[in-house]
Amino acid sequence: MQFVDLKSQFNIIEKDVRAAIDRVLQHQQFIMGPEVAELEKALCAYTGAAHTITAASGTDALLMVLLAYDLQPQDAVIVPSFTFAASAEVVKLLGGEVVFVDVREDTFNIDTDKLTETIAAVRGANKLNLRGIIAVDLFGQPADYVVLQTIARDNELFLIADAAQSFGASLNRKKVGGFGDITTTSFFPAKPLGGGGDGGAIFTADANIAKKLISVRQHGMGKDRYEHVRLGITGRLDTIQAAIINCKLKILDKELDARRKLAERYNAELADKVKVPQATDSAWAQYTIRVSKRDAVVSYLRDHGIPTAIYYPRALHQQPAYQPREKLSLSIAEQLAQEVLSLPIHPYLGADEQSQVIKAVRAAVDK
Ligand SMILES: *Cc1c(COP(=O)(O)O)cnc(C)c1O
């Protein structure tokens, strides 16, 4: 059994992918070739976003947004503590301050009550120039954008949606890509929409920011490639990646459906034994349960041929590279780091395989 099964996917789309890569080899426009514009158009259509700017990775997408927002050293950005490092890394790379907020134990996403308290505390202390919020759609479940958008607007903060794990999901019938001021995603191969390497994208309704992002993506170019009006990076998505993602986008909805069905069955057959995720709008990038005595469960599952993963074994404020200035109590994030366990949920997991996982998990927690 595999935790992520990209080979089964390749067997289905092989002809399409080989032909798409071959077209790139024929035209040789490896940088910003026609497939990139084609993908950006398709992603606008899929998400409903007015502007899509593809990027070299999900991390570069976040970095490019902060560069376009002109984040300055000492500017502070709020980030949930239970997330992948990239969400906070980009702030620190630009010399900014990360202010961590705890997450909710039911959705794993940022706790909006604690967010409000943190904003008041930071503003009250008046030490930091608080600029914005990076919300994260952990494991595929969109954060609570209805509340987040109100908080961001009332406090004059930018709101970035880090949708690296949630591409394809919807909230209140609106697709991911339309929440917050701007949304970033990742096409890392194991994400719901993956490429054949690194890749990412940015979605926004704001034409001004979209224009800046296109400049930032190419070393801050101005009227032409050798006028530099700001600092930027080499942030472009490779044409070959765009060609591959164009193929995978066509089967995404089918795959999301398969993931959702797997999640529903896990919920139905595991909820009496372990804490199951409370997600309803998820892209199901991960199916993450909570168990006590996790080490014993992991080794029992390993012995029975079930691969698992731990996202994440430490909250970010517990990491050496992300030590906050003041000791913070982010107790839910810390507790989740002790208890979370992700089970196989890729779209090609068979019913028999899922039965094996369910049986083994039930037996493991009974031991
Ligand atoms: C994967 C991920 C990223 C970074 O994406 P890359 O394409 O790997 O750079 C950022 N944020 C979150 C929450 C992620 O899961």
Side-chain angles (χ1 to χ4, degrees):
M1 196 184 308
Q2 310 219 25
F3 191 75
V4 175
D5 182 4
L6 293 173
K7 274 194 185 153
S8 292
Q9 184 197 51
F10 184 60
N11 288 339
I12 293 167
I13 56 174
E14 177 170 359
K15 253 180 75 187
D16 211 18
V17 171
R18 284 191 190 276
I21 293 175
D22 204 50
R23 281 193 293 276
V24 178
L25 295 177
Q26 293 294 335
H27 67 52
Q28 296 278 311
Q29 295 174 57
F30 297 116
I31 301 297
M32 298 306 286
E35 285 79 2
V36 175
E38 193 188 316
L39 175 63
E40 290 179 343
K41 203 172 146 209
L43 291 173
C44 281
Y46 188 89
T47 58
H51 307 276
T52 298
I53 299 93
T54 52
S57 71
T59 307
D60 277 353
L62 282 167
L63 184 63
M64 283 161 55
V65 169
L66 294 184
L67 284 166
Y69 281 172
D70 206 19
L71 194 86
Q72 296 295 309
Q74 317 308 320
D75 283 356
V77 179
I78 290 174
V79 181
S81 183
F82 194 60
T83 178
F84 182 58
S87 315
E89 186 176 37
V90 289
V91 175
K92 289 182 77 83
L93 277 173
L94 296 180
E97 284 282 338
V98 175
V99 177
F100 288 115
V101 170
D102 212 350
V103 294
R104 292 172 59 106
E105 61 175 326
D106 53 357
T107 62
F108 307 120
N109 284 331
I110 194 162
D111 183 322
T112 50
D113 292 336
K114 290 180 186 163
L115 171 65
T116 306
E117 288 167 23
T118 301
I119 292 169
V122 170
R123 289 251 157 100
N126 216 4
K127 280 187 305 208
L128 299 169
N129 181 29
L130 191 58
R131 291 277 314 276
I133 305 161
I134 299 179
V136 180
D137 304 345
L138 208 71
F139 306 145
Q141 167 69 33
D144 188 355
Y145 288 106
V146 178
V147 176
L148 286 169
Q149 281 167 181
T150 306
I151 294 175
R153 190 177 352 98
D154 290 352
N155 289 281
E156 294 178 2
L157 298 171
F158 63 69
L159 176 59
I160 301 172
D162 178 353
Q165 302 182 9
S166 63
F167 187 83
S170 308
L171 191 65
N172 305 326
R173 298 229 200 91
K174 192 166 152 190
K175 281 270 187 214
V176 160
F179 300 111
D181 299 308
I182 199 155
T183 299
T184 63
T185 196
S186 163
F187 302 128
F188 182 82
K191 309 275 169 151
L193 178 60
D198 284 311
I202 304 162
F203 310 102
T204 185
D206 184 335
N208 254 329
I209 286 291
K211 231 170 101 186
K212 272 193 192 164
L213 285 165
I214 289 167
S215 162
V216 164
R217 179 167 67 179
Q218 188 139 317
H219 303 288
M221 69 181 271
K223 282 191 300 294
D224 61 66
R225 227 191 288 178
Y226 298 104
E227 185 195 34
H228 305 286
V229 295
R230 57 175 66 80
L231 297 181
I233 59 173
T234 303
R236 299 164 303 232
L237 179 72
D238 288 339
T239 308
I240 286 184
Q241 290 307 331
I244 295 171
I245 296 161
N246 274 324
C247 300
K248 295 201 186 191
L249 183 59
K250 291 184 199 141
I251 58 163
L252 178 69
D253 281 344
K254 231 177 167 170
E255 294 190 335
L256 290 172
D257 225 41
R259 286 178 189 270
R260 188 174 42 73
K261 290 196 174 107
L262 290 163
E264 283 169 2
R265 181 167 171 217
Y266 274 140
N267 279 349
E269 297 185 33
L270 289 176
D272 61 324
K273 287 280 177 201
V274 299
K275 286 181 186 151
V276 297
Q278 297 301 306
T280 48
D281 306 294
S282 184
W284 296 106
Q286 303 295 342
Y287 182 85
T288 304
I289 59 171
R290 292 166 59 194
V291 291
S292 48
K293 301 197 206 112
R294 182 175 60 193
D295 289 350
V297 173
V298 169
S299 71
Y300 182 92
L301 293 175
R302 191 192 307 114
D303 291 346
H304 288 77
I306 315 287
T308 58
I310 295 171
Y311 305 113
Y312 299 91
R314 258 174 295 237
L316 278 188
H317 68 282
Q318 300 175 299
Q319 297 281 4
Y322 295 92
Q323 286 297 309
R325 281 191 190 186
E326 293 153 38
K327 181 106 186 67
L328 299 172
S329 168
L330 300 161
S331 57
I332 304 295
E334 290 171 16
Q335 190 188 339
L336 289 175
Q338 300 292 316
E339 295 181 354
V340 287
L341 181 63
S342 298
L343 305 178
I345 193 169
H346 64 76
Y348 304 97
L349 191 77
D352 291 349
E353 288 179 307
Q354 192 179 19
S355 300
Q356 268 183 55
V357 178
I358 292 165
K359 191 170 156 224
V361 169
R362 295 185 66 88
V365 295
D366 274 345
K367 266 182 52 128

